[in-house]
Amino acid sequence: MPKIVDHDQYRKELLSKCFDLFAQKGYSAITMRQIAEGLSVSTGTLYHYFPSKQVLFEQLVEDICEQDVLMAKAELEGIQTLQERLEALGKFLAKNEDYYIKWIYLQVDFCQHQDSKDMQDSVALKRATERYEKAVYDILGIQDPALTWFLLSLIDGLIFERLMDNKAVSFTEQFSLLSKMLTAYLEK
């Protein structure tokens, strides 16, 4: 009797194992052959699910975005005020700092090897961006697009500073300060 394969589930299983492979070598250095070896599948199988390394990475971006949002929602569930949610978000980022440092490094590595037009046209990257924007609204209740992008840019900048091993930057301190600033700003 032939084996019945749920292709969507199998694709997700492959994707879930790819982050560590990319993190070990970087986007630019790893090949599809090395990814296939790391996943213990043939290159043919890998190409069946992902026609290129770029497509694989873009799908990984979407998958990670979805996971990030779910983890943040779970972490901040039940917290009432914006100030408390922002402070909890700072603690969440601090707790997962190594993961986010690897993730920002991979994104920078990926961007270095892409044409800016291709990145602007990427449906996967657009969807991930929209999910993060929606998460800021859903989780934090921030509806102002300028504030949303201020917050997302701050997060990226803090992670980048930690990537550069800036010991003066603390997620918890920065988010405590941000929570006070935003609360004062929004009360006006």
Side-chain angles (χ1 to χ4, degrees), residues 70-109:
L70 290 173
M71 287 188 322
K73 278 184 179 180
E75 191 78 19
L76 277 64
E77 188 175 345
I79 300 174
Q80 299 301 312
T81 69
L82 176 62
Q83 186 169 353
E84 292 170 329
R85 286 191 303 259
L86 285 168
E87 289 177 5
L89 180 59
K91 290 175 186 171
F92 169 77
L93 290 168
K95 182 172 74 175
N96 295 290
E97 179 178 324
D98 289 341
Y99 162 77
Y100 287 111
I101 287 172
K102 288 177 185 175
W103 184 224
I104 201 89
Y105 173 78
L106 284 173
Q107 291 176 64
V108 169
D109 189 26

Side-chain angles (χ1 to χ4, degrees), residues 10-24 30 35 38-41 56 60 63 67:
Y10 190 61
R11 173 183 278 122
K12 287 181 182 186
E13 288 173 21
L14 293 174
L15 273 176
S16 72
K17 299 173 186 173
C18 283
F19 178 81
D20 289 332
L21 297 172
F22 276 111
Q24 288 169 5
I30 198 165
I35 295 169
L39 296 173
S40 300
V41 299
L56 189 157
L60 180 64
D63 191 59
Q67 290 175 33

Side-chain angles (χ1 to χ4, degrees), residues 75-181:
E75 191 78 19
L76 277 64
E77 188 175 345
I79 300 174
Q80 299 301 312
T81 69
L82 176 62
Q83 186 169 353
E84 292 170 329
R85 286 191 303 259
L86 285 168
E87 289 177 5
L89 180 59
K91 290 175 186 171
F92 169 77
L93 290 168
K95 182 172 74 175
N96 295 290
E97 179 178 324
D98 289 341
Y99 162 77
Y100 287 111
I101 287 172
K102 288 177 185 175
W103 184 224
I104 201 89
Y105 173 78
L106 284 173
Q107 291 176 64
V108 169
D109 189 26
F110 173 76
C111 292
Q112 286 180 315
H113 298 90
Q114 304 303 312
D115 180 76
S116 62
K117 176 80 169 110
D118 291 340
M119 288 181 46
Q120 291 171 356
D121 293 341
S122 170
V123 173
L125 297 178
K126 285 179 185 175
R127 278 195 300 253
T129 299
E130 289 167 1
R131 275 197 189 117
Y132 283 125
E133 286 177 293
K134 186 174 179 334
V136 170
Y137 172 74
D138 291 345
I139 297 170
L140 299 175
I142 296 174
Q143 300 175 25
D144 181 340
L147 279 179
T148 296
W149 280 105
F150 172 77
L151 178 62
L152 291 171
S153 298
L154 175 70
I155 291 170
D156 286 342
L158 291 172
I159 295 169
F160 186 78
E161 286 296 326
R162 295 301 299 140
L163 168 68
M164 301 306 295
D165 203 29
N166 185 342
K167 303 269 191 255
V169 173
S170 161
F171 286 111
T172 54
E173 287 176 5
Q174 296 296 311
F175 272 83
S176 178
L177 178 60
L178 175 67
S179 70
K180 292 171 188 158
M181 291 169 53

